[in-house]
Amino acid sequence: MPETTTTRTLSMQPLTREAFAPFGDVIEAAGESFPINGGMCDRFHDQARMEFTGDGRAGISVGFGRPYPLPYSFDLLERHPLGSQAFMPMTEDPFLVLVAPDEGGRPGTPIAFLTRPGQGVNYLRGVWHGVLTPLGRAVPFVIVDRIGTGNNLEEARFEAPWTVTAG
Amino acid sequence: MPETTTTRTLSMQPLTREAFAPFGDVIEAAGESFPINGGMCDRFHDQARMEFTGDGRAGISVGFGRPYPLPYSFDLLERHPLGSQAFMPMTEDPFLVLVAPDEGGRPGTPIAFLTRPGQGVNYLRGVWHGVLTPLGRAVPFVIVDRIGTGNNLEEARFEAPWTVTAG
């Protein structure tokens, strides 16, 4: 069914706060700031809507993510019902960000974003998103997410894969 | 007094977990990990001893830090009595990490560390440390620290400056 295949292709769009707002926060040196350290540093304050339920607390982890080639096909998204989850690269490599709106407990049509250097993301609690997908080479990411008990992972598979194109 | 000047020179040492442990945590893709995302990502879990007192909570901010030249002279250290504070660069540029033991409410002899690409730091609550000091060029840093009320900044000046050398 070539027709179906065509409609299940996703182009990457630039990651902007406006477009990403329903899914989470863009973490970057942009927007309002105030000077610290005698003016040598600009602080872009408190950028993430973090939320950790139950006995959860914020933790800092590192994820060393191996790269995916483009075009990239996937049929799996996941979400974390108990907490938000932030990913900030420790290199300047752009990475792919996949999210989808919730439609009755299942992910709807995914949206693909490509980051710029200096951008990270915070997924709101319960937002459908893809796995960590650096492009080109392996990248260490700072992860700020929930440390706590309980089942904090929900996965959903699409009936047919989606493909993110390089173009 | 040339003698005094000589003894107030600091060489940078490589940042290691062992050497840094009394002051905080090294955030990096090193040590124990477990696989996630079907083996495409290694998770180095919960690396920072975060602590936020009173009404404080963890927040994610970005600090855009302008660079300092070497040799770098300073006479000021600071600490945060109400919470830990983590800095993770969003580039691969090494940065200077200055800490000092507490000696009766004042900073003792400082120690200078130089990071490798992929390293960040978490200063424990109350640990004397320097301002954010990237070297060479401006760098955006992920900051995870306390968002909350109360006076969370204490500064101390040395009687004479310390100088960190490039060698």
Side-chain angles (χ1 to χ4, degrees), chain A residues 3 56 89 152 157:
Chain A
E3 214 171 81
N152 192 21
R157 284 194 188 272

Side-chain angles (χ1 to χ4, degrees), chain A residues 36-37 40-41, chain B residues 12 63-78 87 89 93-99 111-115 121 123 129-139 141 164:
Chain A
I36 60 172
N37 297 350
M40 286 294 282
C41 185
Chain B
M12 293 183 287
F64 187 75
R66 292 173 187 81
Y68 292 77
L70 292 176
Y72 166 61
S73 292
F74 67 96
D75 66 357
L76 178 79
L77 291 181
E78 62 182 45
F87 296 92
D93 298 85
F95 64 102
L96 170 64
V97 175
L98 288 169
V99 290
I111 303 172
F113 295 98
L114 182 66
T115 65
V121 293
Y123 299 118
H129 62 272
V131 296
L132 190 58
T133 41
L135 306 170
R137 65 166 178 156
V139 172
F141 286 80
V164 180

